[in-house]
Amino acid sequence: MHTKFQTCLFVFINLILSVACLNVFAAEVRDIRVAQQEGVTRLVFELSALSEHRIFPLSNPERIVLDVSGVNLQASVVDGLSALSSDVLMRVRYAKRNDGVRFVLDLAQAAKAKSTVLAANGTYGPRILVELEYGVQKPATVVKSVANLSKEKRDIVIAIDPGHGGKDPGALGQHNVREKDIVLSIGKELASRINAVDGFKAVLTRSTDTYLQLRDRSRVAREANADLLISIHADAFTKASARGASVWALSLSGKTSEMGRWLAQQENSADLVGGISLDDKDQLLAEVLLDMSMNSTIQMSLNVGDSVLGEMKNVAVLHKDSVQQAGFVVLKSPDIPSILIETGFVSNSTEAKNLASKAYRVKIAASIAKGVIGYFTKNAPDGSLVAWKQNKHTERVYTVGKGDTLSEIARRNQVSLPVLRQANNLSNDVIWVGQKLVIPAG
């Protein structure tokens, strides 16, 4: 009896391990591409390894089901599925099924479907080709590729500038702390946290104990096409009682002294005001354009600073509870919103001890990251991946066409009839050609 129990236990454990191994080493769906001709739509499911599949049609409504065994979906493929469409293909849905994935192709009309397995070549991995035939054929053109959809959307770039460095130690404080060491540590941790968020990218002006001129720091940010420059510092004062973190933006008076310098740099003038060249403008008009750019940049800097300060107050004592303004040279970039963060006073014994602690520096970096990401998540720049993801989940407007019915529109857009009626304040299902209907986010 004991031997029989051991044998059963052994078999059970091996079964569990086998299932676990199947999941760990599952193939991946790397990309889905759609090509369209008049009368034919082709979908290519590119895999990391050959996998078995089956395909079959369903009616009422018309759709094609593709089951692929032993695969997982890459995150970029999941994000881009909702953008795939053609004349006959309305959308592609998916669901995990056993050890694989089920894809459902929702169709606008009945179509004949067939699948073919394509072997890997020097460019692509093994592929499953699904052809949807519904009419006369013409030369094909590629419509969309899931893997490229997110690549086309840019990251939000945050330039992080750890102050001082190299021959310039910055402020020297109690407990043998040096400003250049503290801010480099915080800057690296901040960059790591920014890079961990999809759609964000951090660029450090320095990642080692090196010295940079103040204007070179702005140059690094500009070359990276940064959406924000964060300069990190630690303060010192003649009185040891001075304490508290603070966030700074450029002062309105601080920009005036820079006007002539920026106008003189004609090779950069197109970049300084968002693509408006200053080369052919007279001095007065050039000053007006640059002034408008500076005011807009400063206002955004203040807004970002408010978000960061709101998070930092949960970690650090604040020197000032609002964003301050001064003429810091490193902030004087007309084209890049910039903030300067004083993380504390190294001349204060308590704060010097805190800043010497790695755990405290991690908390400071985490609060800054949360403030920055929070701001840009709510104010994502056009063309960014963050904005694209947000727009996928917003409501849209549909114009009723000839032959449309409310129930058919609801079905095609995967919205229930009651929800569609409520969104448009409809008491019945009567609609007319040209009517604008709000399709709720789903």
Side-chain angles (χ1 to χ4, degrees), residues 251-402:
S251 70
L252 292 173
S253 59
K255 77 180 190 322
T256 306
S257 60
E258 291 293 296
M259 193 72 72
R261 183 182 187 92
W262 285 106
L263 291 174
Q265 297 177 352
Q266 302 228 344
E267 65 276 16
N268 294 329
S269 58
D271 294 330
L272 297 186
V273 286
I276 303 174
S277 174
L278 302 182
D279 295 344
D280 59 346
K281 310 294 190 298
D282 62 40
Q283 181 74 8
L284 178 59
L285 178 56
E287 288 185 6
V288 170
L289 289 172
L290 191 54
D291 187 62
M292 290 171 62
S293 178
M294 288 290 279
N295 275 289
S296 175
T297 300
I298 290 172
Q299 186 56 56
M300 182 174 169
S301 302
L302 291 169
N303 294 341
V304 177
D306 280 335
S307 181
V308 171
L309 202 61
E311 297 298 335
M312 288 186 69
K313 70 181 181 182
N314 298 319
V315 176
V317 173
L318 297 184
H319 186 67
K320 298 285 187 179
D321 59 3
S322 61
V323 180
Q324 305 298 294
Q325 293 180 260
F328 292 107
V329 173
V330 74
L331 302 184
K332 295 182 178 180
S333 298
D335 53 336
I336 306 174
S338 309
I339 58 174
L340 185 144
I341 299 174
E342 294 285 1
T343 55
F345 284 82
V346 295
S347 52
N348 178 280
S349 179
T350 301
E351 294 198 341
K353 184 177 181 180
N354 284 341
L355 291 168
S357 162
K358 182 178 180 180
Y360 183 79
R361 294 195 299 267
V362 167
K363 289 181 180 179
I364 286 288
S367 67
I368 297 171
K370 189 174 181 180
V372 169
I373 292 167
Y375 172 83
F376 280 104
T377 299
K378 294 177 181 177
N379 303 274
D382 290 340
S384 67
L385 179 61
V386 175
W388 177 69
K389 285 186 173 182
Q390 291 172 345
N391 290 337
K392 286 201 308 176
H393 303 292
T394 58
E395 64 182 22
R396 58 195 185 282
V397 176
Y398 176 81
T399 303
V400 177
K402 186 177 180 180

Side-chain angles (χ1 to χ4, degrees), residues 143-206:
V143 179
K144 296 182 181 75
S145 167
V146 164
N148 292 331
L149 283 172
S150 60
K151 292 178 184 176
E152 293 170 1
K153 311 301 178 184
R154 71 174 185 86
D155 289 330
I156 295 172
V157 180
I158 310 298
I160 301 168
D161 173 42
H164 308 281
K167 64 182 181 180
D168 177 14
L172 303 175
Q174 300 188 40
H175 305 287
N176 297 317
V177 298
R178 298 185 300 182
E179 181 180 4
K180 69 173 185 177
D181 300 327
I182 291 169
V183 298
L184 181 58
S185 174
I186 294 173
K188 286 182 175 180
E189 178 67 25
L190 175 58
S192 176
R193 289 176 177 271
I194 295 285
N195 285 328
V197 180
D198 194 29
F200 286 82
K201 177 184 177 182
V203 175
L204 284 161
T205 59
R206 70 178 182 97

Side-chain angles (χ1 to χ4, degrees), residues 126-146:
R127 289 144 292 159
I128 299 172
L129 170 64
V130 175
E131 295 180 285
L132 307 174
E133 298 181 359
Y134 57 100
V136 181
Q137 300 181 18
K138 287 185 178 180
T141 54
V142 174
V143 179
K144 296 182 181 75
S145 167
V146 164

